[in-house]
Amino acid sequence: MATENKKIAIQDTYGERFQHCWGCGPKNEAGLHLKSYPNEDGNKCICKFNPDNKYTGGVPNNIFGGMIAVIFDCHGTASAAWFAHNNKGLELTKDTVIGRFITARLEIDFKKPLPVNEEVTVTSIVEEIGERKVIVNMEMEAAGELRAKARIVAVGVKDNM
């Protein structure tokens, strides 16, 4: 299970209706195509992204805060889906259609500017898993430094939402 988990992006297991997000949807041609993967133990999720300078903000050569929020939002909801799925003892396979989660609340602490053209790594861990709600904590690093932290409250949705 662990080896296969690392090879499959959580976002690639979303149901057809939920694959069009600009940030992480595999079927949105104009999107970012962010990908999140469970680590080998399944207790963390990792997202790596290399934003270029077209996402610069008010401070030259740094990513604007809205892009940081997008990365946390997409990775956080994917992580919530994985943690809920894994909590049920289920594996992530190429045939998985994982439950979809959306953001109910996103809190971000911006620590340092996020430079353009540097690989960004976001790591998430689960804080709480409820019947429909999953709380996930995340850290964003680039160039070996912590850039931001976030906490997302994600809620599971039905496929006919």
Side-chain angles (χ1 to χ4, degrees):
M1 174 176 92
T3 306
E4 191 161 1
N5 283 343
K6 287 182 73 172
K7 295 178 183 177
I8 300 171
I10 298 162
Q11 292 88 344
D12 290 341
T13 67
Y14 289 164
E16 174 64 33
R17 294 188 67 232
F18 300 117
Q19 292 192 4
H20 303 278
C21 173
W22 179 80
C24 63
K27 297 208 172 161
N28 187 327
E29 290 181 27
L32 296 174
H33 302 131
L34 295 171
K35 303 288 184 194
S36 302
Y37 300 89
N39 70 349
E40 215 169 292
D41 295 332
N43 61 351
K44 293 181 182 178
C45 292
I46 312 294
C47 174
K48 293 183 184 267
F49 179 65
N50 204 344
D52 63 33
N53 52 359
K54 71 181 173 187
Y55 302 112
T56 192
V59 178
N61 299 313
N62 290 287
I63 302 303
F64 78 103
M67 179 59 73
I68 292 169
V70 166
I71 296 167
F72 276 135
D73 182 51
C74 290
H75 180 63
T77 55
S79 297
W82 162 251
F83 292 132
H85 189 76
N86 188 49
N87 192 54
K88 295 174 187 170
L90 301 172
E91 297 184 17
L92 196 62
T93 70
K94 64 181 179 60
D95 298 320
T96 297
V97 178
I98 203 162
R100 186 67 166 99
F101 281 73
I102 58 172
T103 304
R105 181 179 183 94
L106 178 61
E107 303 165 357
I108 302 172
D109 293 322
F110 297 93
K111 302 292 187 183
K112 289 186 168 191
L114 183 63
V116 297
N117 297 317
E118 285 280 345
E119 184 176 67
V120 175
T121 301
V122 183
T123 305
S124 62
I125 60 170
V126 68
E127 176 183 317
E128 178 183 318
I129 300 175
E131 190 175 318
R132 276 193 61 220
K133 175 178 79 172
V134 177
I135 301 173
V136 175
N137 292 303
M138 297 171 278
E139 291 189 347
M140 179 179 287
E141 297 180 350
E145 296 185 61
L146 179 65
R147 304 301 175 150
K149 289 183 168 190
R151 182 176 184 261
I152 193 169
V153 177
V155 178
V157 297
K158 297 193 182 329
D159 189 48
N160 62 359
M161 176 187 125

